[in-house]
Amino acid sequence: QMQLVESGGGLVQPGGSLRLSCAVSGSFFSILGMAWYRQAPGKQRELVATITPGGSTYADFVKGRFTASRDNAKNTVYLQMNSLKPEDTAAYYCNAGYGTTGPFAYWGQGTQVTVSS
């Protein structure tokens, strides 16, 4: 089974930045679909970003602030988060699989991001 191990979450002040990492097991270059989701307590899970061979797409609420990418040499996917807002506070989840449409089959354990002064 594919394993996704996330890191990089923490406490940051509004306007600050964090970079989340997701280390992926298996044949990384064979993974067709990758995405980042987030979920706050009592809220629905939200799609944050999707990474495809043609590039990345983003939810409206993070456009211009977040950048998703993948590093094939390191078998790692990233989410660079800039200009963080309190409403970005949530558990962030890496999602990946061998299919072409999401949500994909495998999930990370989640990493908590808290934006507060």
Side-chain angles (χ1 to χ4, degrees), residues 2 4 9-11 20 25 33 35 37 52 61 66 68 77 97 107 109-110:
M2 183 186 301
L4 311 176
L11 175 64
L20 307 184
S25 67
Y37 287 80
T52 68
F61 52 81
F66 290 11
V77 61
W107 294 87
Q109 80 286 353

Side-chain angles (χ1 to χ4, degrees), residues 97-111:
Y98 300 111
T100 57
T101 59
F104 307 109
Y106 300 96
W107 294 87
Q109 80 286 353
T111 185

Side-chain angles (χ1 to χ4, degrees), residues 5-55:
V5 181
E6 296 169 309
S7 61
L11 175 64
V12 64
Q13 293 184 339
S17 298
L18 285 173
R19 187 175 73 163
L20 307 184
S21 299
C22 176
V24 182
S25 67
S27 182
F28 189 73
F29 59 81
S30 296
I31 298 172
L32 298 179
M34 306 189 74
W36 287 94
Y37 287 80
R38 71 185 188 187
Q39 187 169 24
K43 302 292 182 65
Q44 290 185 292
R45 184 182 62 192
E46 300 177 305
L47 176 64
V48 176
T50 301
I51 304 170
T52 68

Side-chain angles (χ1 to χ4, degrees), residues 90-102:
Y92 284 72
Y93 298 89
C94 184
N95 178 228
Y98 300 111
T100 57
T101 59

Side-chain angles (χ1 to χ4, degrees), residues 59-78:
D60 287 341
F61 52 81
V62 303
K63 284 182 179 177
R65 301 190 297 121
F66 290 11
T67 302
S69 61
R70 60 185 287 175
D71 186 333
N72 291 336
K74 297 182 178 180
N75 282 20
T76 301
V77 61
Y78 301 97

